[in-house]
């Protein structure tokens, strides 16, 4: 029954188990089964202990509810299973290394240990220890006296090993009820086990120990962690098997711990990663949920215990009470005249005289010896009946076959845990009979047939385990420090961002100046767009959007007055490769053919409409309707186009077709289109920003500052082409080795350096280079690099958005890493997410610094005390990344405090924007004609 109850709870845990006292020693072959000799006599008394599958399932469900209550902030106070956070956030990964101390305090004696862990390929652990007594007068004296005594014993141990001059880290196993608030802080709730030291309850035991050590002054140690023996058990086994994520103690008492997802632990802030939960599961049932399965014997044991009504689950499954349970059954059967001829002895009637260790003894001869020691004169039948009681108290044959959630998943079996299914391997570990261990193994495997299950015996979980917790904490701290040192150059200070803003301003001035324009990296190209929409635009306009292998033709209807708004119709056309790489005449003839098809599709053949042409290739613009193609990109190689006016080439193709006539009013790029689209919605919009695969910005500059164009009156939109900022070397002091590596292996080394630090095309590659560096240095993925991770471009920028959006226990992160051929732990996933966060945050901050330079320039141009301006934004990075836009806006606000900057997302800047530029140009042209 104890085993059945214990196993019913494992469905609520489902992970690798470790246990300190598991006995797997071979047992003598028993005599031929005598159990059939008197089954009815014994079974009558054990009937209510034989639990059905349905009952076990019900127990499992009740236990799960108690676990969830214990994890909830509101329900924890009334939960019987307290689910206490331990602040242990990681298990060993096998790379721990160092010299550690452990202090194991849990009874009248305590131990001090020195544990050497070496990671030299052999993963060796060496231990030395000394046991010290605690006199009874100290157990009942003052807390100061107790901790002074412990400090004195520590000093003695360090003296003995001649290491008193070393400041070693120490793990403290303190096996008393505590409320833990940090890994190295534990408040004693109440003394147990005969301790009654004054002025300790309600105080942090680590602080008291530190105070006693400091008072001595002859040695110093670093107390890193305080844990209980269950956690120590899990950590000890976790060093040998990295799949071990559960600790189990079933001996004199019982308890369990396991690694829970942080998002389920309401008692601790934070949602990422995992934390070990000390379940304190012995109290399950204290609220009455087990009353229907508790027997008269369970109730009698409870009433005669030191803590009636408490730890009811523990009293049904642990070793402290097993022998007493057998004694009570024997007494009742003897009273009914079914055993020992109805004779009772004082020893048999004395509580505690039938010890649990007796249950380990198998065979009729052993049963006869034990019963004789109790003053009985057992017959052969008495011994057979007693053996049957032993065996029926430890049944495994009638266990629940129910498995909560299992599947043959490529990531491993799905096992039910609070909050959902988790992909976890299983394994598991008692000072109880060998048959208990055997049946435990068998029962677990029967309950979870689709899982690989292995049990690991813990060696000295309370001592070695405390050292392991400390070793893991030290490893994590050292690795964290090493990673932070690598990431530090990517974390820009306020002063650095101010400097970037000032350098951008300098480059902008160079680009605007006639004499300095040639040497400027930020080219500040005039667009000849001299006004933003004012809301009076109206009419039908065509827009042509050419920037890749597909292009669009759009009809845009702009209405003013009461019906003010924009209505769009569009059709997408492809450009065959042979045309992309043929002649310019063939390319533009194909474009005109598609325009003709669109006009026919819209029923507008023969109508002459003004057209705006979004042409997203490098151009030198000499007028609003004139753009000289400097160089083809994106796979285009059509001959006879470079150095030519693309508007002229389009007009020639229209004339060759002789079907219709169009008024090509404007040629623009997508950044200007974005500004104009948002400008139609918001009259304060005078800046355009693209942050997607690439990045660029534009804004309305005063004509007096645009020295490349004659005239001083009014304003003109300037296409900054800011991606090349830094090509002169002015950003070299903030570029990292990872930026340099990405640049060197790009298609255009030394060019577009600012864009390579902030745009979507490159952020994933920066992350990949950092992950490679971490892994090579043993700071990630246990130093194992997959071949896929070595592939340039394999870590897509969309992964950054997915990873930083992941609030599902990092499962999406691990899925992405598995796709990259990486076996990751929860810790690995947290690290990868941190890298993504750092890289994306820097990108947003750098972009914000550039934008701050732009709005400051407008503010200065206008001579205002305070500027209100809107930025029209487009681009997948800005729109899809969960934090990029927020960080960008915060940065602009910090760097430009005298500007109120609003960011407005653009919808279809490249198409709708071109039509609106045309509409504005037509409005201005008509106004001039009047």
């Amino acid at each position: 029954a104890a085993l059945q109850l214990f196993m019913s709870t494992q469905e609520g845990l489902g992970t690798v188990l470790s246990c300190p006292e598991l006995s797997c020693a071979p047992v003598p072959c028993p005599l031929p089964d005598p159990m059939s000799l008197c089954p009815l006599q014994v079974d009558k008394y054990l009937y209510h202990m034989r639990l059905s599958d349905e009952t076990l399932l019900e127990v499992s469900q009740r236990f799960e509810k108690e676990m969830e209550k214990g994890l909830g902030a509101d329900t924890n106070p009334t939960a019987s299973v307290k689910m206490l956070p331990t602040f242990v956030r990681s298990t060993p990964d096998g790379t721990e290394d160092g010299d550690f101390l452990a202090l194991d305090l849990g009874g009248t004696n305590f131990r001090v240990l020195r544990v050497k862990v070496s990671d030299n390929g052999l993963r060796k652990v060496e231990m030395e220890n000394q046991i010290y007594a605690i006199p009874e007068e100290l157990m009942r004296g003052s807390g100061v006296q107790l901790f002074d005594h412990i400090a004195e014993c520590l000093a003695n141990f360090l003296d003995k090993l001649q290491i008193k001059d070393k400041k070693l880290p120490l793990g403290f196993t303190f096996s008393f009820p505590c409320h833990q608030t940090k890994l190295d802080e534990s408040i004693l709730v109440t003394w147990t086990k005969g301790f009654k030291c004054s002025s300790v309850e309600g105080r942090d035991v680590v602080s008291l120990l530190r105070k006693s050590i400091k008072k001595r002054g002859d040695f110093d140690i670093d107390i890193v962690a305080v844990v209980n023996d269950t956690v120590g058990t899990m950590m000890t086994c976790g060093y040998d098997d990295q799949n071990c994520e559960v600790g189990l103690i079933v001996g004199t008492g019982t308890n369990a711990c396991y690694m829970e997802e942080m998002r389920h632990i309401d008692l601790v802030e934070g949602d990422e990663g995992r934390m070990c939960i000390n379940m304190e599961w012995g109290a399950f049932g204290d609220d009455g949920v087990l009353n229907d399965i508790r027997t008269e014997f369970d109730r009698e044991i409870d009433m005669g215990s030191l803590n009636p009504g408490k730890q009811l689950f523990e009293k049904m499954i642990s070793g402290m009470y097993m022998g007493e349970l057998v004694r009570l059954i024997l007494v009742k059967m003897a009273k009914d005249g079914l055993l020992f001829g109805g004779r009772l002895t004082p020893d048999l009637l004395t509580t505690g005289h039938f010890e649990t260790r007796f249950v380990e003894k198998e065979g009729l001869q052993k049963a006869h010896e034990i019963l004789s020691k109790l003053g009985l004169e057992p017959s052969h039948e008495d011994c057979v009946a007693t053996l049957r009681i032993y065996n029926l108290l430890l049944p495994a044959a009638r266990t629940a076959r129910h498995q909560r959630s299992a599947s043959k998943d490529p990531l491993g079996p799905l096992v039910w845990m609070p909050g959902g299914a988790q992909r976890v391997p299983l394994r598991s570990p008692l000072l109880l009979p060998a048959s208990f261990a055997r049946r435990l193994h068998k029962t677990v495997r029967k309950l979870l047939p689709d899982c690989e299950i292995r049990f690991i015996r813990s060696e000295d979980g309370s001592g070695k385990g405390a050292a392991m917790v400390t070793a893991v904490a030290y490893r994590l701290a050292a690795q964290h420090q090493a990673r932070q040192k690598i990431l530090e150059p990517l974390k820009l200070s306020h002063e650095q961002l101010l400097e970037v803003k000032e350098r951008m301003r300098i480059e902008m001035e160079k680009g605007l100046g006639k004499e300095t324009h040639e040497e400027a990296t930020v080219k500040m190209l005039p667009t000849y767009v001299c006004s933003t929409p004012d809301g009076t635009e109206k009419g039908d306009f065509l827009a042509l959007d050419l920037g890749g292998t597909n292009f669009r033709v759009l009809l845009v209807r702009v209405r003013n007055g009461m019906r003010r708004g924009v209505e769009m119709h569009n059709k997408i056309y492809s450009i065959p490769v042979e045309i992309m790489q043929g002649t310019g005449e063939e390319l533009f003839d194909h474009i005109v053919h598609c325009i003709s098809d669109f006009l026919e599709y819209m029923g507008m053949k023969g109508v002459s409409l003004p057209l705006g042409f979004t042409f997203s290739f490098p151009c030198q613009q000499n007028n609003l309707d004139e753009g000289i193609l400097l160089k083809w990109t994106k796979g285009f190689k059509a001959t006879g186009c470079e150095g030519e006016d693309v508007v002229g080439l389009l007009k020639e193709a229209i004339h060759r077709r002789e079907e219709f006539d169009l008024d090509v009013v404007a040629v623009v790029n997508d950044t200007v289109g974005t500004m104009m689209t948002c400008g139609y919605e918001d009259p304060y919009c005078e800046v355009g920003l693209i942050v997607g695969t690439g990045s660029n910005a534009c804004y309305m500059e005063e004509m007096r500052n645009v020295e490349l164009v004659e005239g001083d009156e009014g304003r003109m939109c300037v296409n900054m082409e800011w991606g090349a900022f830094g090509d002169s070397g002015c950003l070299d002091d903030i570029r990292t080795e990872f930026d340099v590596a990405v640049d060197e292996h790009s298609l255009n080394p030394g060019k577009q350096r600012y864009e390579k630090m902030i745009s979507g095309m490159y952020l994933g590659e920066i992350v990949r280079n950092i992950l490679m560096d971490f892994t090579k240095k043993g700071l990630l993925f246990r130093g194992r690099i997959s071949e896929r991770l070595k592939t340039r471009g394999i870590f897509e920028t969309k992964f950054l958005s997915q990873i930083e959006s992941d609030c599902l226990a990092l499962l999406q992160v691990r899925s992405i890493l598995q796709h990259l051929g990486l076996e990751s732990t929860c810790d690995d996933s947290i690290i990868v997410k941190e890298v993504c966060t750092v890289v994306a945050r820097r990108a947003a901050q750098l972009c914000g610094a550039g934008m701050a330079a732009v709005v400051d320039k407008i503010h200065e141009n206008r001579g205002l005390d305070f500027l209100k301006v809107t930025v029209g934004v487009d681009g997948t990075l800005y729109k899809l990344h969960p934090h990029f836009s927020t960080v960008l806006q915060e940065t602009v606000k910090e760097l430009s405090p005298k500007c109120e900057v609003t960011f407005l997302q653009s919808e279809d800047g490249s198409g709708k924007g071109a039509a609106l530029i045309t509409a504005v140009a037509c409005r201005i042209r008509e106004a001039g004609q009047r």
Side-chain angles (χ1 to χ4, degrees):
L3 177 59
Q4 286 176 319
L5 279 174
F6 160 66
M7 280 318 307
S8 72
T9 66
Q10 294 314 292
E11 294 176 301
L13 284 175
T15 189
V16 179
L17 299 179
S18 59
C19 193
E21 299 159 350
L22 177 62
S23 172
C24 296
V27 296
C29 292
L31 295 171
D33 184 13
M35 298 305 156
S36 61
L37 294 176
C38 50
L40 295 178
Q41 292 175 317
V42 177
D43 288 2
K44 173 185 173 182
Y45 290 88
L46 301 184
Y47 176 79
H48 293 293
M49 292 186 177
R50 301 177 65 161
L51 305 179
S52 67
D53 290 359
E54 292 74 18
T55 302
L56 289 171
L57 173 58
E58 179 64 26
V59 170
S60 176
Q61 292 170 341
R62 294 174 192 175
F63 203 103
E64 186 187 326
K65 287 179 182 177
E66 284 301 311
M67 291 171 70
E68 290 173 350
K69 279 178 70 176
L71 290 169
D74 295 333
T75 51
N76 177 271
T78 59
S80 58
V81 181
K82 284 300 182 185
M83 308 294 283
L84 303 174
T86 67
F87 297 86
V88 172
R89 298 174 186 267
S90 183
T91 54
D93 72 355
T95 64
E96 287 74 21
D97 187 77
D99 203 350
F100 306 95
L101 294 174
L103 177 61
D104 180 13
L105 176 60
T108 54
N109 294 326
F110 74 97
R111 287 188 306 155
V112 183
L113 304 91
R114 181 187 187 183
V115 182
K116 290 183 180 180
V117 185
S118 55
D119 179 29
N120 55 3
L122 301 175
R123 291 175 57 218
K124 189 178 179 183
V125 178
E126 299 175 88
M127 293 195 297
E128 300 173 84
N129 73 89
Q130 179 72 46
I131 296 175
Y132 295 92
I134 301 178
E136 189 171 341
E137 61 270 19
L138 289 182
M139 292 172 62
R140 300 171 185 275
S142 71
V144 171
Q145 291 173 320
L146 173 65
F147 285 97
D148 283 352
H149 175 68
I150 293 171
E152 183 180 347
C153 295
L154 268 171
N156 173 269
F157 182 77
L158 296 174
D159 265 336
K160 178 183 171 185
L161 297 183
Q162 298 181 343
I163 54 172
K164 209 171 186 180
D165 57 330
K166 295 183 178 181
K167 185 179 179 179
L168 296 178
L170 179 141
F172 187 7
T173 302
F174 189 75
S175 299
F176 298 90
C178 286
H179 169 60
Q180 201 154 351
T181 50
K182 292 190 295 187
L183 183 60
D184 63 346
E185 184 175 276
S186 194
I187 312 299
L188 176 65
V189 176
T190 181
W191 281 118
T192 57
K193 307 175 187 179
F195 280 76
K196 292 184 179 178
C197 298
S198 61
S199 303
V200 181
E201 292 180 351
R203 299 180 66 185
D204 172 28
V205 295
V206 174
S207 295
L208 293 171
L209 179 57
R210 283 176 175 152
K211 198 172 288 185
S212 291
I213 292 171
K214 187 176 181 181
K215 186 164 57 177
R216 289 183 60 88
D218 58 340
F219 71 94
D220 195 12
I221 56 174
D222 180 13
I223 305 174
V224 174
V226 56
V227 297
N228 70 9
D229 51 357
T230 317
V231 179
T233 291
M234 180 188 75
M235 297 298 277
T236 298
C237 293
Y239 182 72
D240 298 315
D241 185 334
Q242 279 84 56
N243 289 317
C244 182
E245 295 186 273
V246 172
L248 169 66
I249 302 254
V250 189
T252 306
T254 183
N255 193 18
C257 68
Y258 72 102
M259 297 299 290
E260 176 59 272
E261 305 298 325
M262 280 291 294
R263 71 183 189 280
H264 295 150
I265 308 172
D266 292 351
L267 302 176
V268 180
E269 290 186 6
D271 291 331
E272 291 185 358
R274 295 174 183 160
M275 180 181 288
C276 181
I277 290 293
N278 168 26
M279 297 179 68
E280 292 295 343
W281 78 357
F284 176 50
D286 289 3
D287 56 356
V289 298
L290 294 180
N291 285 352
D292 56 336
I293 65 168
R294 292 174 68 221
T295 67
E296 59 179 301
F297 304 114
D298 296 310
R299 298 179 199 283
E300 191 170 344
I301 284 175
D302 179 44
M303 292 305 295
S305 69
L306 295 174
N307 55 347
K310 304 294 183 184
Q311 300 295 105
L312 296 183
F313 184 61
E314 182 172 78
K315 289 169 185 173
M316 297 172 81
I317 73 171
S318 72
M320 179 178 284
Y321 305 97
M322 191 75 68
E324 185 62 10
L325 190 58
V326 173
R327 187 190 71 81
L328 290 173
I329 295 169
L330 294 178
V331 168
K332 183 157 181 66
M333 291 184 72
K335 284 182 178 179
D336 289 349
L338 297 174
L339 285 179
F340 317 126
R343 179 171 172 261
L344 295 170
T345 66
D347 281 332
L348 185 61
L349 290 170
T350 303
T351 300
H353 270 213
F354 196 103
E355 300 175 36
T356 297
R357 62 189 177 89
F358 294 166
V359 185
E360 290 188 58
K361 313 299 182 182
E362 298 191 13
L364 291 174
Q365 184 178 344
K366 290 294 182 183
H368 190 277
E369 288 178 14
I370 292 166
L371 294 173
S372 297
K373 286 180 181 177
L374 295 173
L376 297 165
E377 296 177 359
S379 66
H380 175 80
E381 288 75 12
D382 292 335
C383 294
V384 169
T386 303
L387 275 181
R388 183 165 180 80
I389 292 169
Y390 295 171
N391 281 272
L392 290 181
L393 282 176
L394 299 169
R398 295 170 300 282
T399 50
R401 296 173 186 271
H402 179 77
Q403 181 178 343
R404 258 324 195 358
S405 174
S407 70
K408 297 183 185 302
D409 188 277
L411 290 175
L414 286 171
V415 181
W416 181 262
M417 292 180 72
Q422 301 294 315
R423 292 179 177 87
V424 289
L426 275 122
R427 313 203 173 166
S428 275
L430 296 171
L431 198 57
L432 284 171
S435 57
F436 190 107
R438 283 199 309 272
R439 288 164 175 165
L440 171 60
H441 300 180
K442 183 178 179 180
T443 304
V444 175
R445 288 167 183 142
K446 185 178 289 186
L447 283 169
L448 301 169
D450 294 333
C451 300
E452 177 193 348
I453 303 164
R454 189 162 66 86
F455 292 80
I456 306 170
R457 177 175 176 172
S458 167
E459 298 293 341
D460 193 13
S462 58
K464 180 180 173 183
M468 279 301 166
V469 173
T470 307
V472 169
Y474 254 63
R475 169 180 60 79
L476 292 176
Q479 290 179 340
H480 177 74
Q481 187 176 9
R483 287 191 297 268
Q484 293 311 305
K485 186 176 180 181
I486 294 168
L487 292 176
E488 196 59 37
L490 289 141
K491 298 177 180 179
L492 303 178
S493 66
H494 180 73
E495 291 70 26
Q496 286 176 303
L497 291 170
L498 277 173
E499 184 61 30
V500 170
K501 182 184 83 165
E502 292 308 314
R503 293 174 191 176
M504 177 68 88
R505 277 296 303 273
I506 292 169
E507 289 298 315
M508 289 169 68
E509 299 292 353
K510 283 184 181 179
L512 289 169
K514 196 167 188 177
E515 295 181 0
T516 53
H517 178 80
E518 269 312 307
E519 67 184 64
T521 55
V522 181
K523 285 300 183 183
M524 308 294 284
L525 303 174
T527 67
Y528 296 87
V529 172
C530 297
S531 179
T532 54
D534 67 0
T536 65
E537 293 78 17
K538 63 178 180 177
D540 290 352
F541 306 91
L542 282 178
L544 181 62
D545 179 13
L546 176 63
T549 54
N550 292 328
F551 76 100
R552 289 186 305 155
V553 184
L554 305 93
L555 173 65
V556 181
R557 291 195 165 114
V558 183
R559 300 287 179 261
N560 63 2
M562 295 292 290
R563 297 171 55 220
R564 184 176 182 274
V566 176
E567 177 188 333
M568 293 195 301
H569 304 272
N570 74 88
K571 198 171 181 182
I572 298 173
Y573 297 90
S574 64
I575 303 177
V577 176
E578 59 270 19
I579 290 179
M580 289 171 60
Q581 300 180 357
T583 66
E585 196 170 286
E586 291 170 339
L587 173 62
F588 282 93
D589 282 348
H590 176 70
I591 291 171
V592 170
H593 169 74
C594 295
I595 295 173
S596 174
D597 175 79
F598 180 75
L599 291 172
E600 188 171 343
Y601 170 73
M602 294 300 299
M604 302 184 70
K605 205 76 175 278
V607 178
S608 180
L609 294 175
L611 180 142
F613 189 5
T614 300
F615 189 74
S616 300
F617 297 91
C619 284
Q620 177 189 331
Q621 206 158 349
N622 299 321
N623 214 322
L624 182 60
D625 62 351
E626 181 182 333
I628 309 299
L629 175 63
L630 300 178
K631 185 180 181 181
W632 281 119
T633 57
K634 307 174 187 179
F636 281 75
K637 293 182 181 177
T639 59
C641 297
E642 291 181 356
E644 299 293 328
D645 173 21
V646 294
V647 174
L649 293 173
L650 179 62
K651 286 179 177 179
E652 289 172 9
I654 293 171
H655 292 151
R656 278 197 299 274
R657 192 166 182 88
E658 296 182 346
E659 279 187 16
F660 55 86
D661 193 21
L662 296 174
D663 178 16
V664 184
V665 174
V667 58
V668 298
N669 72 8
D670 52 358
T671 315
V672 181
T674 293
M675 180 188 76
M676 297 298 277
T677 299
C678 294
Y680 186 76
E681 306 295 334
D682 184 341
Y684 287 102
C685 183
E686 297 186 78
V687 183
L689 171 64
I690 300 279
V691 197
T693 306
S695 182
N696 194 17
C698 68
Y699 72 101
M700 298 300 292
E701 178 59 90
E702 305 299 318
M703 278 294 293
R704 68 179 183 272
N705 297 330
V706 187
E707 296 182 10
L708 298 180
V709 180
E710 292 185 5
D712 292 337
E713 295 297 320
R715 295 170 186 156
M716 180 180 285
C717 180
V718 169
N719 169 24
M720 295 179 67
E721 291 294 342
W722 78 357
F725 176 46
D727 289 2
S728 62
C730 66
L731 293 179
D732 286 357
D733 57 331
I734 65 167
R735 290 175 77 223
T736 67
E737 59 182 294
F738 309 111
D739 298 307
V740 173
V742 169
D743 180 39
E744 287 177 349
H745 291 99
S746 67
L747 296 174
N748 55 346
K751 305 293 183 184
Q752 300 294 102
R753 290 182 175 178
Y754 183 59
E755 183 174 73
K756 288 171 185 173
M757 297 169 80
I758 70 173
S759 74
M761 180 175 282
Y762 304 98
L763 297 191
E765 186 61 7
I766 294 173
V767 168
R768 187 189 71 86
N769 276 273
I770 296 171
L771 299 184
M772 286 278 290
D773 188 62
F774 279 6
T775 309
K776 287 175 182 175
K777 292 173 179 174
L779 304 175
L780 186 64
F781 306 133
R782 297 178 188 167
R784 302 166 191 157
I785 301 178
S786 73
E787 288 302 315
R788 284 179 66 79
L789 188 61
K790 295 178 184 177
T791 307
R792 280 195 289 274
I794 197 70
F795 200 100
E796 302 173 46
T797 295
K798 69 176 182 179
F799 292 163
L800 274 75
S801 297
Q802 293 169 0
I803 285 171
E804 288 206 62
S805 300
D806 191 355
C807 54
L808 298 173
L810 304 170
L811 293 180
Q812 193 163 336
V813 184
R814 297 184 76 169
S815 178
I816 290 169
L817 295 177
Q818 187 185 47
H819 168 71
L820 298 175
L822 296 161
E823 292 184 15
S824 64
T825 64
C826 180
D827 291 339
D828 291 333
S829 299
I830 293 172
I831 294 164
V832 170
K833 188 170 184 179
E834 181 188 12
V835 172
C836 291
T837 299
V838 168
V839 170
R841 181 175 180 81
R842 185 191 67 154
Q845 287 178 321
L846 284 172
C847 186
M851 187 49 58
V854 173
V855 297
D856 273 5
K857 181 75 165 67
I858 298 173
H859 175 254
E860 184 182 294
N861 287 344
R862 313 248 169 117
L864 300 171
D865 292 332
F866 192 80
L867 172 71
K868 182 177 181 180
V869 67
T870 296
V871 179
V873 198
D874 204 350
T876 52
L877 185 59
Y878 183 91
K879 289 182 175 181
L880 300 182
H881 192 280
H883 309 302
F884 191 96
S885 60
T886 304
V887 176
L888 167 62
Q889 292 170 33
E890 288 173 351
T891 304
V892 174
K893 188 175 182 179
E894 289 172 10
L895 300 181
S896 299
K898 294 184 178 180
C899 302
E900 181 186 329
V901 185
T902 303
F903 289 81
L904 179 62
Q905 282 195 30
S906 165
E907 296 299 330
D908 194 17
S910 57
K912 180 179 173 182
L916 285 169
I917 290 170
T918 305
V920 170
C922 289
R923 168 176 60 80
I924 294 171
R925 187 166 61 186
E926 289 170 8
Q929 290 172 352
R930 288 198 294 270

